C-alpha cells in the first residue's frame, strides 16, 4: 500500500529539483506552492522578500493576463495557450530574461503554472531574425504582415517601403492606396482570401506606379500564421521586384518574334529570288547569245535593243541580290571568306560588265591603277559586288558625256579604292541621309532606276570586310566614294575567267545536266553549241538523271538544287555513295542563299553558279573541269 506514496514522493522530489519553475496558485493568481527554481526566477521581480501573486509579478509584461485567464472558459485539465514573458532583471546594466509561460486549469479554484528560461533560445531567434532581415534586404526582398484584427492591420519592413518607392517609411496602407490602382487592389484581395482560410495560393504579380511615375512590377508570396497575440490570425509573406525579369522576358520574346520575322523574310526572299531568277536566266542568257551572234546575226539597231534587254535583266538580278543580301546583313548571317585577291582583275571585270550601260548613257569609263601586282585581302565576291554597285551608281547619276574613274593607290599598307564621277553631286543634307535604306535623296522622279538600298548594302559589306566607306561630294561637280582594304602578301587568287566566247571543237566529254525548266534546258543547249565536241544530255528529274548516269557515267554533272521529285544534293550523294560516281559537279541554281551554297559545298561540289548564268563563266568552268579529266 505504500508503493503509490513512494511514487508520489519521487515525483514531487523530481519537480522540486527540476530546472523548470513550477507554481500552484488559486484562481486569482495567489501563490500556494512554488519550487526553488520558481522562487529564483520570480523573487527579483517581486520587489520584496516574498511572492504573493503571480499575476502581479507578471503584470508589467502581461497586463491582460489576469483578465484572459478569468475569461478562459474551458474544461478542467485544459492548458491555457502559452506566452513568452520578457522580464527586465535588476543590475548594472539591467538585462532581459525571456521565459516561456504555461498555465493549466486544475479546477475552478486552482491553477498550475510553469516557467522555462528560454533567454538563450530567444537570443538565437533574434539573431536568426536579424540575419534573415539582412539577407532579404540584400536580395531586395521585402516582408509584410497582414493581420485580421487590430487598428493597424498591414505592416511592411523597410525594404517593402523601398520597393513601393517610400524609403522614408510611413503608413503601409496609405502607400498601397497611393501606388496601386483599385483594380490591382481588388485582385490582391481576391488572392488573400484562400490564405486567410489556411489554403495555399500561387505567387501573385501586380503593377504599381512609383511616386515619380515609373511603373514597376512586383510579386508576392504568403501563407497564414496562427498564434498571434490575442488569438488572431495573420498572413505573412515576402515581396520582390520582377520588373527587370519581365522586361528581359519581353525583350527575349521581342527578339524571338524578330528572329521569326527575319527567318520568314529570308525564306520569302529566297523563294522570291528563286522564282524570279529562273525566268531571268532565260532572259539574260538568250540576250547574251543574241549579243554574241550565236543565234542569228543582228543588225546594229537590233543589237542595241538586245543590249537594253540584257541590261534590264542584270539590273533586276542586282535588285534581287541586294534585297537578299540586305536581309542577310540585318539577320547577321552574312559570311565572308577573306583571301588574297587580284584587285586589278576585279576592277577590269567590273568595268567590262559596266561598259554597255556606260555606252548607252554616253559615259566614259577610266581606271587609274599602279604598275605591278595589286593584292588585297578581301572576300572576292563581295569586293566585286561593292565595286560594281559604286560604278553602277556613278554611271546612273552622271551627266551625258560624263566620266567615271576608278583609282587605286597604296596608303599605309592599305589599298585605297575610289570611284569618282562627274555627275549631279550631293548637298550636305543629302549626304547626311545617304545611307538611309530606301531613301533616294529626292531623285524618285528623276527617271533613273533605283531602290535606295544599293549604297546601304555597299557600306555594310565594306564594313564587314574591315573597311569604311567615305564620300566627298559637291552639287554640280560630282561625287567620289572610296574605301580602303588591307594589302595582302602571298598567293593571289586565280584570275577571273576570260571574257571572250570562243568555240572549242577540241574539247571532248559527256555532260549530264539535270534541269527541269524547258526554257533553261534550251538555253544550256545554246551555250554548249560553242562546245561541239561535248555531248550534252539533259534530264528533267532526279530519277531520270540516276538512270542515265547508271547507263553511261558522265564526265561532268550540272545539277539544279530543286528538282520535282527530290532535292538535287540527295541525288548527288546517291550517285557518289551508292553508285561510286566521282564525277565533278557544278551546281546551277536559282538560289543565292548562303545556307544553300554552304550545303552544296559541304556535299563536295566543285563550283556553285547562280542563275542568271554568265555564259563565259559557265563555259570556262566546263573547259577547266573537262580539260583536267582529259
Amino acid at each position: 500500500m505504500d508503493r503509490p506514496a513512494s511514487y508520489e514522493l519521487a515525483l514531487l522530489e523530481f519537480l522540486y529539483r527540476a530546472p523548470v519553475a513550477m507554481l500552484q496558485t488559486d484562481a486569482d493568481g495567489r501563490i500556494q506552492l512554488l519550487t526553488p527554481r520558481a522562487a529564483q526566477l520570480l523573487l527579483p521581480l517581486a520587489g520584496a522578500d516574498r511572492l504573493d501573486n503571480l499575476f502581479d509579478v507578471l503584470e508589467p509584461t502581461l497586463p491582460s493576463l489576469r483578465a484572459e485567464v478569468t475569461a478562459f472558459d474551458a474544461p478542467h485539465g485544459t492548458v491555457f495557450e502559452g506566452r513568452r514573458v520578457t522580464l527586465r532583471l535588476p543590475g548594472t546594466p539591467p538585462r532581459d530574461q525571456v521565459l516561456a509561460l504555461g498555465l493549466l486549469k486544475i479546477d475552478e479554484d486552482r491553477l498550475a503554472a510553469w516557467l522555462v528560461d528560454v533567454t538563450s533560445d530567444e537570443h538565437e531567434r533574434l539573431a536568426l531574425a536579424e540575419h534573415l532581415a539582412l539577407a532579404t534586404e540584400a536580395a531586395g526582398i521585402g516582408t509584410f504582415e497582414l493581420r485580421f484584427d487590430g487598428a493597424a492591420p498591414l505592416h511592411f519592413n523597410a525594404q517593402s517601403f523601398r520597393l513601393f518607392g517610400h524609403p522614408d517609411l510611413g503608413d503601409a496602407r496609405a502607400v498601397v492606396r497611393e501606388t496601386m490602382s483599385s483594380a490591382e487592389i481588388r485582385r490582391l484581395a481576391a488572392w488573400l482570401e484562400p490564405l486567410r482560410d489556411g489554403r495555399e495560393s500561387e505567387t501573385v504579380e501586380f503593377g504599381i506606379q512609383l511616386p515619380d511615375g515609373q511603373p514597376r512590377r512586383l510579386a508576392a508570396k504568403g501563407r497564414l500564421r496562427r498564434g498571434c497575440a490575442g488569438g488572431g490570425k495573420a498572413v505573412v509573406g515576402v515581396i520582390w521586384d520582377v520588373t527587370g525579369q519581365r522586361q528581359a522576358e519581353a525583350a527575349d520574346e521581342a527578339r524571338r518574334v524578330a528572329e521569326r520575322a527575319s527567318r520568314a523574310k529570308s525564306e520569302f526572299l529566297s523563294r522570291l529570288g528563286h522564282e524570279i531568277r529562273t525566268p531571268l536566266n532565260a532572259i539574260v542568257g538568250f540576250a547574251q547569245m543574241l549579243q554574241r551572234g550565236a543565234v542569228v546575226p543582228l543588225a546594229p539597231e537590233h543589237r542595241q535593243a538586245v543590249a537594253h534587254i540584257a541590261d534590264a535583266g542584270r539590273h533586276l538580278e542586282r535588285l534581287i541580290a541586294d534585297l537578299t543580301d540586305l536581309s542577310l546583313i540585318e539577320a547577321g548571317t552574312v559570311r565572308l571568306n577573306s583571301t588574297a585577291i587580284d584587285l586589278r582583275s576585279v576592277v577590269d571585270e567590273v568595268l567590262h560588265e559596266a561598259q554597255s550601260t556606260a555606252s548607252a548613257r554616253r559615259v566614259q569609263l577610266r581606271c587609274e591603277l599602279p604598275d605591278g601586282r595589286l593584292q588585297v585581302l578581301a572576300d572576292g565576291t563581295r569586293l566585286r559586288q561593292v565595286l560594281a554597285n559604286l560604278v553602277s551608281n556613278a554611271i546612273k547619276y552622271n551627266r551625258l558625256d560624263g566620266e567615271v574613274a576608278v583609282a587605286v593607290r597604296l596608303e599605309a599598307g592599305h589599298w585605297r579604292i575610289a570611284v569618282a564621277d562627274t555627275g549631279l553631286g550631293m548637298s550636305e543634307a543629302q549626304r547626311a541621309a545617304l545611307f538611309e535604306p530606301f531613301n533616294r535623296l529626292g531623285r524618285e522622279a528623276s527617271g533613273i532606276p533605283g531602290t535606295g538600298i544599293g549604297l546601304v548594302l555597299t557600306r555594310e559589306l565594306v564594313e564587314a570586310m574591315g573597311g569604311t566607306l567615305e564620300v566627298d561630294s559637291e552639287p554640280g561637280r560630282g561625287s567620289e566614294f572610296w574605301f580602303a582594304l588591307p594589302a595582302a602578301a602571298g598567293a593571289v587568287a586565280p584570275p577571273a575567267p576570260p571574257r571572250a566566247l570562243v568555240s572549242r571543237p577540241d574539247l571532248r566529254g559527256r555532260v549530264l545536266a539535270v534541269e527541269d525548266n524547258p526554257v533553261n534546258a534550251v538555253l544550256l543547249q545554246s551555250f554548249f553549241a560553242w562546245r561541239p565536241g561535248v555531248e550534252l544530255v539533259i534530264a528533267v528529274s532526279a530519277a531520270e538523271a540516276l538512270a542515265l548516269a547508271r547507263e553511261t557515267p558522265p564526265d561532268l554533272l550540272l545539277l539544279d538544287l530543286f528538282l520535282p521529285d527530290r532535292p538535287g544534293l540527295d541525288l548527288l550523294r546517291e550517285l557518289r555513295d551508292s553508285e561510286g560516281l566521282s564525277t565533278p559537279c557544278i551546281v546551277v541554281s536559282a538560289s543565292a542563299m548562303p545556307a544553300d551554297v554552304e550545303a552544296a559545298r559541304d556535299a563536295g561540289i566543285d563550283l556553285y553558279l547562280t542563275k542568271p548564268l554568265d555564259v563565259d563563266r559557265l563555259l570556262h568552268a566546263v573547259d577547266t573541269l573537262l580539260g583536267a579529266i582529259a
Side-chain angles (χ1 to χ4, degrees), residues 186-203:
R186 286 194 299 271
R187 200 160 64 84
L188 278 183
W191 171 73
L192 285 165
E193 280 305 312
L195 295 175
R196 184 171 184 172
D197 298 335
R199 291 176 286 145
E200 292 293 325
S201 186
E202 297 293 331
T203 299

Side-chain angles (χ1 to χ4, degrees), residues 26-71:
D26 63 13
D28 293 328
R30 287 186 290 270
I31 296 174
Q32 298 172 341
L33 296 172
L34 76 164
T35 63
R37 180 57 177 160
Q40 181 184 0
L41 289 176
L42 298 178
L43 269 174
L45 303 173
D49 292 336
R50 52 182 293 177
L51 293 170
D52 292 326
N53 192 291
L54 177 62
F55 295 153
D56 291 343
V57 173
L58 300 181
E59 188 172 12
T61 302
L62 300 173
S64 62
L65 181 60
R66 189 193 307 267
E68 290 179 17
V69 172
T70 302

Side-chain angles (χ1 to χ4, degrees), residues 252-321:
D252 285 344
E253 179 59 24
R255 177 181 52 79
R256 285 191 290 268
V257 170
E259 288 173 352
R260 287 195 295 269
S262 178
R263 284 194 299 270
K265 181 172 65 175
S266 297
E267 291 171 4
F268 168 75
L269 288 175
S270 176
R271 293 192 185 99
L272 177 66
H274 184 273
E275 293 302 318
I276 292 179
R277 286 175 185 274
T278 298
L280 194 59
N281 186 52
I283 295 171
V284 174
F286 282 115
Q288 291 179 85
M289 302 306 291
L290 287 169
Q291 282 180 300
R292 309 294 179 88
V295 182
V296 291
L298 296 179
E301 62 272 19
H302 295 156
R303 253 196 319 271
Q304 185 63 41
V306 171
H308 289 319
I309 294 173
D311 288 346
R314 290 299 183 190
H315 174 74
L316 185 56
E317 178 192 3
R318 285 193 298 271
L319 174 60
I320 292 297

Side-chain angles (χ1 to χ4, degrees), residues 365-429:
L365 299 181
R366 182 170 56 87
C367 67
E368 301 172 5
L369 305 179
D371 295 333
R373 300 200 320 181
L374 282 61
Q375 300 181 60
V376 64
L377 188 63
D379 182 293
T381 300
R382 299 306 184 183
L383 178 58
R384 289 185 186 90
Q385 187 176 356
V386 165
L387 195 56
N389 279 344
L390 293 179
V391 170
S392 174
N393 277 353
I395 294 171
K396 284 195 303 183
Y397 297 106
N398 218 315
R399 57 178 171 81
L400 291 177
D401 300 315
E403 181 181 86
V404 173
V406 179
V408 175
R409 69 172 184 262
L410 191 63
E411 291 183 352
H414 286 67
W415 288 113
R416 183 184 187 274
I417 306 163
V419 177
D421 64 65
T422 57
L424 303 175
M426 291 176 287
S427 66
E428 185 176 348

Side-chain angles (χ1 to χ4, degrees), residues 344-576:
R344 187 185 303 276
S345 66
V346 173
V347 173
D348 289 344
E349 183 180 359
V350 169
L351 292 182
H352 178 85
E353 290 179 350
Q355 184 59 60
S356 61
T357 305
S359 299
R361 297 179 181 275
R362 291 163 49 185
V363 173
Q364 181 72 30
L365 299 181
R366 182 170 56 87
C367 67
E368 301 172 5
L369 305 179
D371 295 333
R373 300 200 320 181
L374 282 61
Q375 300 181 60
V376 64
L377 188 63
D379 182 293
T381 300
R382 299 306 184 183
L383 178 58
R384 289 185 186 90
Q385 187 176 356
V386 165
L387 195 56
N389 279 344
L390 293 179
V391 170
S392 174
N393 277 353
I395 294 171
K396 284 195 303 183
Y397 297 106
N398 218 315
R399 57 178 171 81
L400 291 177
D401 300 315
E403 181 181 86
V404 173
V406 179
V408 175
R409 69 172 184 262
L410 191 63
E411 291 183 352
H414 286 67
W415 288 113
R416 183 184 187 274
I417 306 163
V419 177
D421 64 65
T422 57
L424 303 175
M426 291 176 287
S427 66
E428 185 176 348
Q430 288 174 319
R431 289 199 305 273
L434 185 60
F435 296 108
E436 293 178 3
F438 307 104
N439 187 340
R440 298 202 58 206
L441 310 180
R443 292 171 180 165
E444 294 82 355
S446 64
I448 301 173
T451 60
I453 64 172
L455 277 179
V456 178
L457 175 62
T458 299
R459 183 182 67 171
E460 296 289 348
L461 291 176
V462 168
E463 291 179 352
M465 289 187 290
T468 303
L469 185 62
E470 306 286 351
V471 58
D472 294 320
S473 186
E474 186 177 339
R477 301 191 63 176
S479 305
E480 181 185 52
F481 290 85
W482 63 272
F483 60 95
L485 295 175
V492 179
R499 304 305 304 175
L501 182 63
V502 295
S503 179
R504 287 281 307 275
D506 60 306
L507 194 67
R508 296 287 185 270
R510 176 183 172 88
V511 176
L512 174 59
V514 192
E515 173 60 71
D516 63 311
N517 184 285
V519 177
N520 286 332
V522 172
L523 180 62
L524 282 176
Q525 291 171 339
S526 299
F527 286 176
F528 275 86
W530 293 82
R531 299 295 181 266
V534 176
E535 180 187 5
L536 176 66
V537 181
I538 296 178
V540 298
S541 67
E544 183 181 359
L546 188 59
L548 290 172
R550 285 171 174 169
E551 180 182 341
T552 307
D555 299 309
L556 176 63
L557 183 66
L558 298 184
L559 181 64
D560 192 355
L561 291 183
F562 304 100
L563 299 174
D565 51 347
R566 65 190 294 192
L569 292 183
D570 286 355
L571 169 64
L572 178 63
R573 293 186 186 96
E574 182 171 354
L575 287 172
R576 291 187 171 173

Side-chain angles (χ1 to χ4, degrees), residues 76-95:
H76 300 167
T78 304
V79 176
F80 183 72
E81 187 178 0
R83 295 285 191 274
R84 282 185 179 265
V85 185
T86 302
L87 307 176
R88 177 56 57 91
L89 300 179
T92 306
R95 63 184 181 86

